[in-house]
Amino acid sequence: MKLFNVFLILSLVTLTTTAQEFKDLDKSPMDAVITRNQDNSPLARIIYSRPKKNNREIFGQLVPFNKVWRTGANEATEITFYEDVLFNGVEVEPGTYSLYTIPEKDKWTIIVNEQINVWGAYSYDESLDLLRTSVPTRNTAAPVEDFSITFKPAANGSDLLMGWDDTFVEIPIRKAE
């Protein structure tokens, strides 16, 4: 009986320790940012994954120039507008869209596309582009290790900032009136 109890206890301990193993953390963790109006109602939200620089040459190498990029890692970045907005001056209705970019040395083409829930840019369909607009690139004050997206409050909306390595872009988002 003692032998049976020892075997039972060892079995339970073994099962318990193996049940507590977790998978490795994602190398490009998912993140979300939201911007709100002055009355605290949501204006826009972005869900994206954050790849790391890891001593790599980013733009022009890891992320080729003049090719559609998912704007992050893993799934294509998604942007949700909660009301009519002007996205770099172009009117966009409320809804969820994919946010792609085409990086170039001096500018990025920003693409708002109607197809959502897609992995990367592999199934990107240009015919579903809601809009394309260009913004100039700028140099960061210091290298950015993790691809990052944030909003900066502005009059009647926010500016969307996306940056990685030594480059960032800024896109105005304003409430449409």
Side-chain angles (χ1 to χ4, degrees):
M1 189 66 170
K2 263 187 173 179
L3 185 58
F4 176 74
N5 286 339
V6 169
F7 177 74
L8 182 62
I9 290 171
L10 285 175
S11 296
L12 290 173
V13 168
T14 303
L15 287 174
T16 303
T17 57
T18 58
Q20 300 305 315
E21 292 180 23
F22 294 97
K23 291 184 177 184
D24 288 339
L25 293 176
D26 191 338
K27 303 288 189 243
S28 300
M30 188 171 280
D31 202 352
V33 291
I34 191 165
T35 185
R36 298 183 176 278
N37 294 305
Q38 289 184 342
D39 65 0
N40 207 32
S41 63
L43 178 65
R45 178 187 71 192
I46 295 181
I47 299 173
Y48 70 108
S49 290
R50 304 183 68 192
K52 294 185 174 297
K53 179 172 168 45
N54 285 335
N55 295 316
R56 299 178 289 185
E57 182 73 24
I58 301 302
F59 297 107
Q61 294 292 316
L62 181 66
V63 177
F65 287 132
N66 303 308
K67 291 194 177 186
V68 175
W69 177 45
R70 62 182 137 197
T71 317
N74 304 331
E75 295 84 6
T77 294
E78 286 190 356
I79 187 165
T80 299
F81 299 110
Y82 293 96
E83 58 186 88
D84 291 332
V85 297
L86 296 175
F87 186 85
N88 201 30
V90 180
E91 190 161 346
V92 179
E93 294 180 352
T96 299
Y97 307 94
S98 289
L99 185 67
Y100 295 102
T101 52
I102 302 174
E104 296 178 46
K105 188 165 182 66
D106 298 324
K107 69 176 182 172
W108 285 11
T109 299
I110 311 299
I111 303 166
V112 176
N113 185 279
E114 293 180 322
Q115 185 178 23
I116 59 171
N117 301 317
V118 293
W119 179 264
Y122 304 108
S123 63
Y124 166 73
D125 184 348
E126 184 176 351
S127 71
L128 296 174
D129 286 356
L130 184 67
L131 72 89
R132 283 180 174 226
T133 187
S134 293
V135 291
T137 59
R138 299 179 185 180
N139 293 325
T140 60
V144 178
E145 176 65 26
D146 297 275
F147 175 67
S148 299
I149 298 177
T150 193
F151 289 105
K152 179 175 73 173
N156 202 32
S158 291
D159 292 333
L160 167 62
L161 286 90
M162 298 187 288
W164 197 15
D165 193 10
D166 60 357
T167 303
F168 79 99
V169 295
E170 188 170 348
I171 305 112
I173 300 174
R174 302 295 181 263
K175 289 175 65 170
E177 295 188 33

